[in-house]
Amino acid sequence: MDAVNPATGERVDSYDAHTEHEVDDALERASVDFEDWRERPMRDRERLLESVADTLRENEGEYAETMTREMGKPVEQAVAEVEKCALCCDHYAEHASAYLGADHHPSPPGSSAKTVHEPLGPVLAVMPWNFPFWQVFRFAAPSLTAGNVGLLKHASNVPGCALAIESVFRDAGYPEGVFQSLLIPSERVEPVLADDRVRAATVTGSGPAGRAVAATAGDHLKKTVLELGGSDPFVVLDDADVAAAAETGAWARNQNGGQSCIAAKRFVVHTDVYDEFLRRFTDEFESLVVGDPMDDGTDLGPQARPELLSDLHDQVTASVDAGATVVTGGEPLDRAGAFYPPTILTDVPEGCPVDSEETFGPVAAVYEVADESSAVELANDTEFGLGASVWTEDRDRGERVAGRIDAGCVYVNQLVKSDPRVPFGGVNDSGYGRELAGAGIREFVNRKTVWVE
């Protein structure tokens, strides 16, 4: 597996894929170590997670640079990602015991009934490249602390990140089989998931990847959690703080080079504030610095791979051919590396690629609507249902509109984000199940009822 710097096109490093024998050894270690790990007192597992947070903070610069070299995110954003992973570990180190405490139920006199939460076993995590540390830690921190063991199949363009994460857990004192990275291509995921030693799987990634894993897991009756794509609406109502909406909206679309499932992608703006919003929004886009991701002050680095840039530009070109108007951007930058500028399209025809597909890069589609009902209708006009953002100065109105939008999470006067304190996940083609908070740590447990007479 080659790690290629998308800012330069140069190979960073090369890694040997694990052989079938090495994968089998990893599965056996996971199975054996799980039996001891599940018996470790919860407080021991919480203390080890505290050590993981310490390890992350002590080496954040090294981990951030690995991310930046392999997938191109600006290094300042990569440092923030490592810090967020540490905060996630802090959260579960503090709250795991409470999240997994027994639930007691009414029962006849002289008896007791409760539900206890027991780990399932080895869990396969198929993870993407766009947030190569955070996506892994929001699975690993709760799942390992619940007593499961993890097997990471990371994206093939971030093998250095995969091995670095494995080393974080080893350096923090975890047994070898509790968290392991499998350097294997996607076509070798199915036999790993089908193996009897693997008890469940979680996927963050594309719809096709999620469907493939879910189909195999279904054949073997194994639990899955899927966090898939999104085409999040960003609704700006007539009473919104337009300046704040434009500033936050620009970042919600362009953070991480626009390569985020929960990025704002479809900007649905009330006609009364449309012209002002578009003017401010365009100014914000054009002020963003596109450049070397290793430089402080860079807002957008390259797209993670040249073919991803090509796919994104094909979506823009097809949409313009269908009638969309380019306000700013719209052409790959004439420089080495996979750089695409922040791009805004208006007059977006129904059914064109930027309207009906997920755009995984810094491209915003802006729509003008006549009223609140039209805004909600357009926000829901998608096969996805991951997140949404609503902007209004009336908090009650914002909450009411949030209730009408079909999504796994809706933020009022804030960009959509994942936070360890609240559940995260989607509906419809954005997947099922939840990560983070109490809901996330209870996804991969056996909710066992114990009745004592």
Side-chain angles (χ1 to χ4, degrees), residues 394-413:
D394 184 335
R395 291 165 61 97
D396 291 337
R397 183 188 191 191
E399 191 164 355
R400 184 182 71 249
V401 172
R404 298 173 62 195
I405 294 178
D406 298 328
C409 54
V410 182
Y411 283 72
V412 178
N413 298 327

Side-chain angles (χ1 to χ4, degrees), residues 344-422:
I344 297 173
L345 300 181
T346 59
D347 308 314
V348 177
E350 182 178 357
C352 74
V354 300
D355 174 67
S356 60
E357 301 172 4
E358 179 178 26
T359 50
F360 216 66
V363 175
V366 183
Y367 304 79
E368 183 175 1
V369 294
D371 50 40
E372 179 184 304
S373 294
S374 300
V376 171
E377 182 179 0
L378 184 54
N380 287 334
D381 186 21
T382 176
E383 64 192 28
F384 298 104
L386 191 53
S389 184
V390 177
W391 288 77
T392 170
E393 290 286 75
D394 184 335
R395 291 165 61 97
D396 291 337
R397 183 188 191 191
E399 191 164 355
R400 184 182 71 249
V401 172
R404 298 173 62 195
I405 294 178
D406 298 328
C409 54
V410 182
Y411 283 72
V412 178
N413 298 327
Q414 179 59 272
L415 55 78
V416 177
K417 55 189 175 182
S418 56
D419 185 300
R421 296 168 292 188
V422 294

Side-chain angles (χ1 to χ4, degrees), residues 33-344:
D33 282 8
F34 168 64
E35 297 304 326
D36 290 332
W37 182 247
R38 69 184 302 177
E39 299 300 328
R40 292 281 288 268
M42 173 61 77
R43 188 57 194 136
D44 284 359
R45 296 199 294 260
E46 290 172 333
R47 289 193 183 100
L48 282 170
L49 195 60
E50 291 172 355
S51 296
V52 169
D54 292 340
T55 301
L56 286 166
R57 291 186 172 103
E58 289 165 4
N59 302 284
E60 65 178 22
E62 173 189 342
Y63 301 143
E65 289 183 4
T66 299
M67 279 190 268
T68 298
R69 284 194 300 268
E70 291 193 332
M71 57 73 59
K73 76 168 72 237
V75 69
E76 288 184 339
Q77 295 176 36
V79 169
E81 182 171 333
V82 178
E83 292 172 349
K84 187 172 183 177
C85 294
L87 288 172
C88 184
C89 294
D90 292 341
H91 180 79
Y92 283 105
E94 181 178 355
H95 298 289
S97 294
Y99 285 147
L100 295 176
D103 297 326
H104 293 269
H105 311 291
S107 59
S111 65
S112 67
K114 63 181 178 180
T115 298
V116 297
H117 305 96
E118 297 181 348
L120 298 181
V123 181
L124 175 65
V126 181
M127 293 288 128
W129 48 263
N130 57 330
F131 291 93
F133 268 61
W134 171 242
Q135 307 280 18
V136 176
F137 274 90
R138 74 184 191 191
F139 149 73
S143 294
L144 270 56
T145 309
N148 298 297
V149 300
L151 295 158
L152 171 63
K153 188 286 177 215
H154 219 325
S156 296
N157 60 325
V158 289
C161 291
L163 295 178
I165 294 168
E166 182 181 77
S167 73
V168 170
F169 287 98
R170 299 274 176 83
D171 293 347
Y174 281 66
E176 183 180 6
V178 172
F179 186 91
Q180 300 174 86
S181 286
L182 306 179
L183 297 187
I184 58 174
S186 297
E187 58 266 24
R188 290 176 59 192
V189 168
E190 183 174 354
V192 173
L193 180 54
D195 192 287
D196 288 342
R197 291 167 290 189
V198 174
R199 300 310 312 146
T202 181
V203 179
T204 299
S206 68
R211 287 183 174 89
V213 169
T216 300
D219 286 342
H220 297 273
L221 295 178
K222 296 180 180 180
K223 174 70 182 289
T224 54
V225 170
L226 305 182
E227 196 272 279
L228 307 178
S231 186
D232 286 9
F234 188 100
V235 177
V236 183
L237 298 175
D238 54 307
D239 62 346
D241 181 336
V242 176
E247 180 180 4
T248 302
W251 189 240
R253 173 64 279 199
N254 290 289
Q255 183 181 16
N256 202 46
Q259 300 166 121
S260 171
C261 52
I262 55 171
K265 292 164 185 159
R266 296 177 298 127
F267 291 79
V268 181
V269 186
H270 193 285
T271 188
D272 289 356
V273 295
Y274 178 83
D275 290 339
E276 182 187 358
F277 176 83
L278 182 60
R279 174 178 57 80
R280 291 180 179 273
F281 194 52
T282 303
D283 289 345
E284 294 287 348
F285 264 53
E286 293 178 344
S287 71
L288 294 170
V289 177
V290 182
D292 185 345
M294 285 294 186
D295 289 346
D296 292 341
T298 292
D299 297 309
L300 275 79
Q303 302 299 280
R305 298 196 304 271
E307 61 269 26
L308 297 173
L309 180 148
S310 179
D311 291 345
L312 179 68
H313 188 53
D314 286 347
Q315 290 176 304
V316 170
T317 300
S319 299
V320 171
D321 289 345
T325 299
V326 177
V327 176
T328 188
E331 291 289 340
L333 297 181
D334 185 15
R335 57 178 294 175
F339 289 90
Y340 203 82
T343 296
I344 297 173

